[in-house]
């Protein structure tokens, strides 16, 4: 059946190219990397996957359904932000409970924490801030959800965007206070900025000293920067997110824990949805339905939300109990590690950008995974690294979309989908 579809498609394409351009070229051939068109498919009809930054309103979080429905082959791949956020919050709370004898460094009965916020307009970052505040009882409701704003400093517990929480442990009541939080944005505008977090912890440590019992971060890039510059030497547990290899290794040295967002599953899904769309097969092939090479994902590692056109990987907490299983974040997920047959799945070319070439998670975990899967899926991917600040730095490098068969897009700002789709619609 599949052969028949492929043959029919080929016949249709040949007929089209004979009438439309009269050229003798076989348009189903892979691109040679030159300026030539790869096919007669219009750019607006080519498969498109948004990943890591979900098209959405950066103030309200509302999904940008126009971008998510750009064409019939458009999807988003990310992870379940709320499930992961809850896990992160619970991981921190569990740690406090099981280390209560040593956690309160100055013995004042107040467990103080500071928090590094990645990007106040990024749904993942917002969810993580809320997850921690919710688990520790420091969250304040605003418009039906926990306020995720950074508070600056909150020495005496009087900040209005958070409140003091309480934890009952072994019959004693402790206060939990968010002493400080800040969006880690550098002066040029890059968010999730690790260096900014490294500086912030220095400032916070000099004002709060041993009032800081815990450091929490929206990701490992910032978390490790704070750990290396301050918390490791001061024995203060620091919690991040992403399970980058360096952060997992640091658990042996006192890093409190991290969350794996199953980048091994996400990187696969990012390229797999493109592969399936290019092959003209059911989108579930090699995802929920085993493909002919044996690739399949079990439903405990991802969910698909059809209305949102979104695949979400599920998260796993990584702590001192299990970190040995997560030491290399760039290993492909074994159930989807089988090579596709090149004759059935000919090489296709993909344009893919990473919004910030120096983002720790995307650079040290996600891209190495993509580079392994692109071989397994016979995709010739051109990787474009942005500066993390300006969308045009990236869109300028999408000058000739006709050269590619499909696109994978990681935006600088989640509101900016139209900057890309307008190029593809031209
Ligand atoms: C990751 C961060 C990363 C961000 C980039 C998040 O999912 O956890 O580490 O900086 O994506 O968009």
């Amino acid at each position: 059946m599949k052969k028949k579809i492929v043959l029919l498609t080929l016949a249709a394409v040949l007929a089209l190219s004979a009438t439309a351009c009269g050229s003798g070229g076989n348009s189903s051939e892979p691109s040679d990397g030159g300026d030539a068109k790869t096919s007669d498919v219009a750019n607006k009809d080519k498969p498109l996957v948004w990943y890591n930054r979900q098209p959405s309103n950066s103030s309200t979080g509302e999904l940008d359904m126009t971008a998510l429905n750009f064409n019939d082959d458009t999807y988003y791949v990310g992870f379940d932000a709320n499930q992961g956020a809850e896990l992160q919050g619970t991981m921190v709370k569990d740690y406090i409970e099981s280390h209560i004898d040593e956690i309160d460094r100055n013995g004042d009965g107040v467990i103080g924490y500071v928090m590094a916020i990645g990007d106040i307009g990024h749904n993942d970052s917002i969810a993580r801030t809320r997850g921690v505040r919710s688990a520790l009882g420091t969250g304040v409701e605003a418009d039906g959800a926990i306020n995720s704003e950074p508070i600056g400093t909150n020495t005496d517990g009087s900040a209005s965007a958070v409140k003091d929480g309480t934890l009952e442990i072994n019959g004693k009541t402790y206060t939990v206070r968010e002493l400080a939080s800040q969006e880690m944005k550098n002066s040029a505008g890059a968010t999730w900025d690790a260096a900014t977090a490294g500086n912030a912890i220095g400032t916070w440590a000099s004002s709060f000293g041993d009032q800081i019992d815990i450091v929490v971060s929206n990701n490992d890039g910032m978390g490790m920067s704070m750990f290396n510059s301050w918390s490791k030497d001061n024995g203060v547990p620091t919690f991040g997110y992403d399970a980058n290899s360096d952060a997992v290794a640091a658990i042996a040295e006192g890093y409190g824990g991290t969350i794996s967002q199953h980048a091994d599953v996400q990187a696969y899904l990012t390229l797999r949805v493109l592969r399936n769309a290019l092959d003209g097969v059911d989108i579930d092939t090699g995802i929920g339905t085993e493909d002919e090479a044996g690739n399949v994902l079990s439903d405990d590692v991802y969910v698909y939300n059809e209305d949102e056109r979104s695949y979400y990987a599920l998260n796993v907490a990584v702590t001192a109990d299990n970190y040995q299983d997560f030491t290399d974040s760039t290993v492909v997920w074994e159930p989807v590690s089988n090579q596709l047959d090149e004759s059935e799945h000919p090489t296709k070319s993909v344009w893919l950008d990473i919004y910030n070439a120096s983002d720790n998670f995307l650079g040290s975990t996600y891209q190495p995974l993509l580079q392994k899967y692109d071989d397994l899926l016979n995709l010739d991917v051109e990787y474009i690294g942005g500066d993390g600040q300006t969308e045009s730095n990236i869109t300028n490098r999408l000058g000739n979309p006709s050269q590619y068969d499909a696109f994978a897009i990681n935006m600088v700002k989640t509101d900016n989908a139209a900057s890309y789709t307008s190029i593809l619609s031209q």
Side-chain angles (χ1 to χ4, degrees), residues 4-18:
K4 209 163 154 196
I5 294 176
V6 170
L7 283 177
L8 275 176
T9 316
L10 191 61
V13 167
L14 284 174
L16 252 183
S17 64

Side-chain angles (χ1 to χ4, degrees), residues 52-53 79 122 124 128 192 219 242 261 355 359 361:
N52 178 262
R53 304 192 142 205
F79 63 96
H122 188 304
D124 300 348
R128 293 172 199 174
W192 304 88
N219 80 355
D242 291 340
Q261 52 168 289
Y355 90 101
D359 184 271
F361 168 63

Side-chain angles (χ1 to χ4, degrees), residues 27-38:
S27 51
S28 71
E29 287 286 297
S31 141
D32 59 5
D35 274 356
K37 280 189 170 191
T38 57

Side-chain angles (χ1 to χ4, degrees), residues 88-350:
Q88 192 189 26
T90 309
M91 169 176 73
V92 177
K93 179 169 176 255
D94 288 350
Y95 187 99
I96 296 174
E97 286 171 352
S98 58
H99 291 79
I100 195 64
D101 294 340
E102 73 249 33
I103 199 107
D104 184 9
R105 295 198 307 143
N106 63 1
D108 63 353
V110 180
I111 318 282
Y113 73 93
V114 294
M115 180 154 62
I117 292 177
D119 174 349
I120 53 168
H122 188 304
N123 282 349
D124 300 348
S125 187
I126 292 170
R128 293 172 199 174
T129 301
R130 288 186 174 144
V132 168
R133 289 181 179 166
S134 154
L136 300 182
T138 51
V140 169
E141 291 246 340
D143 305 325
I146 288 187
N147 193 328
S148 60
E149 283 167 32
I151 55 167
T153 52
N154 178 33
T155 320
D156 55 2
S158 64
S160 57
V162 291
K163 65 177 189 323
D164 280 355
T166 49
L167 283 179
E168 281 271 333
I169 307 164
N170 300 337
K172 193 170 165 201
T173 305
Y174 294 84
T175 297
V176 185
R177 179 169 300 157
E178 183 167 314
L179 295 168
S181 54
Q182 179 188 314
E183 182 187 40
M184 299 304 173
K185 190 172 183 170
N186 72 12
S187 50
T191 51
W192 304 88
D193 190 57
T196 304
N199 291 334
I201 193 70
T203 312
W204 287 338
S206 50
S207 25
F208 297 114
D210 60 9
Q211 283 176 272
I212 304 176
D213 301 314
I214 293 173
V215 176
V216 191
S217 173
N218 281 174
N219 80 355
D220 283 336
M222 301 181 295
M224 282 299 289
S225 176
M226 298 192 287
F227 184 70
N228 288 328
S229 64
W230 182 75
S231 10
K232 184 177 167 187
D233 289 345
N234 290 278
V236 176
T238 299
F239 295 85
Y241 203 111
D242 291 340
N244 292 336
S245 299
D246 62 336
V248 172
I251 292 178
E253 301 177 318
Y255 197 69
T258 180
I259 302 290
S260 161
Q261 52 168 289
H262 251 311
D264 47 4
V265 169
Q266 284 182 71
Y268 173 73
L269 284 168
T270 303
L271 297 180
R272 184 74 209 210
V273 294
L274 297 181
R275 178 78 259 176
N276 288 346
L278 289 165
D279 289 347
V281 298
D282 191 304
I283 200 64
D284 198 43
T285 310
I287 299 178
T289 309
E290 188 167 330
D291 68 10
E292 76 281 1
N295 296 305
V296 67
L297 291 173
S298 50
D299 56 14
D300 56 344
V301 294
Y302 81 103
V303 287
Y304 176 54
N305 182 321
E306 198 169 352
D307 294 340
E308 297 177 356
R309 306 283 297 171
S310 296
Y311 285 87
Y312 300 108
L314 297 174
N315 304 264
V316 184
V318 181
T319 65
D321 296 335
N322 64 348
Y323 75 97
Q324 241 101 3
D325 301 336
F326 292 84
T327 48
D328 185 350
S329 63
T330 67
V331 181
V332 294
W333 184 240
E334 201 274 332
V336 290
S337 58
N338 303 308
Q339 177 75 47
L340 295 190
D341 181 348
E342 170 101 47
S343 59
E344 293 276 339
H345 308 272
T347 302
K348 295 284 179 181
S349 65
V350 175

